[in-house]
Amino acid sequence: MSRFKLEPTASMMGASMSWRRVFPGRTDQIPLARQFAMFLFAETSIASDVGFVVTELASNAVRHTRSGQQGGRFTVELVLGGLAYVGVSDLGGGGYPTVRHDPLGCPIESEGGRGLRAVSQLAAMLGVHGSPSEGHTVWADLLCVDKPYEDPPLATSVTPAA
Ligand SMILES: Nc1ncnc2c1ncn2[C@@H]1O[C@H](COP(=O)(O)OP(=O)(O)OP(=O)(O)O)[C@@H](O)[C@H]1O
Ligand SMILES: [Mg+2]
């Protein structure tokens, strides 16, 4: 087991604010997650974009994973900064989050597959980590021009854990 812990540097501490909230994995919680995110980003110009992304990612968690089953939950993480972060973690159990691109720019006739594609078009970056067994976190970075963007710190101090 690692005996090291990460300590935030001064620039990490001052650069942004972050929130994390767990919601029961039910469809009636999706509007609440959206409102939670929009409230926190209310002073920015990307509040509705953040609300949209939370809605799409939370909907996927409830619809496509164990988060939507009895007793399930999903977690929303938000970071407000020059590059805003929106992440939704689920309980896995389904497949893999997949961005379905429309080939040759033709609209897709079938239902579905629009959510992650729309998020990818809105986001500066879209990513996934995790696995079907442990659950995925699907995240998006959104440029927030209202907030000065700070480059991430080049180095993080590492000290032995007590
Ligand atoms: N969190 C997730 N865990 C596992 N699979 C996922 C997850 N999110 C999305 N997927 C998979 O990726 C596919 C594409 O997701 P996407 O949100 O683009 O479309 P959709 O949810 O099927 O339909 P909609 O257009 O209503 O959003 C889904 O059909 C599903 O198979
Ligand atoms: Mg979807």
Side-chain angles (χ1 to χ4, degrees):
M1 186 193 296
S2 169
R3 293 190 61 251
F4 293 91
K5 66 180 178 185
L6 293 176
E7 288 191 347
T9 62
S11 61
M12 282 170 77
M13 288 190 284
S16 56
M17 289 189 291
S18 60
W19 300 268
R20 182 174 184 274
R21 185 168 161 187
V22 180
F23 293 87
R26 303 195 308 264
T27 52
D28 66 349
Q29 297 296 304
I30 295 166
L32 300 183
R34 176 175 173 272
Q35 286 163 19
F36 167 68
M38 289 188 70
F39 174 77
L40 296 171
F41 280 77
E43 300 297 317
T44 75
S45 58
I46 60 169
S48 61
D49 288 349
V50 168
F52 174 79
V53 171
V54 167
T55 298
E56 292 303 323
L57 300 188
S59 300
N60 282 348
V62 171
R63 190 164 149 206
H64 300 301
T65 80
R66 282 192 291 250
S67 293
Q69 295 177 6
Q70 183 75 28
R73 64 193 181 278
F74 63 89
T75 303
V76 176
E77 288 182 85
L78 301 163
V79 179
L80 173 55
L83 202 55
Y85 171 92
V86 180
V88 174
S89 301
D90 61 54
L91 298 180
Y96 295 87
T98 308
V99 180
R100 299 215 176 112
H101 293 286
D102 45 343
L104 304 175
C106 298
I108 290 178
E109 304 271 322
S110 60
E111 285 298 310
R114 296 185 175 90
L116 288 181
R117 191 166 73 249
V119 172
S120 76
Q121 288 164 352
L122 206 56
M125 193 72 82
L126 174 67
V128 178
H129 59 84
S131 68
S133 58
E134 71 184 24
H136 290 101
T137 297
V138 185
W139 60 266
D141 280 340
L142 300 174
L143 263 181
C144 184
V145 291
D146 318 289
K147 297 270 169 195
Y149 174 71
E150 292 184 30
D151 283 326
L154 291 175
T156 302
S157 61
V158 180
T159 56

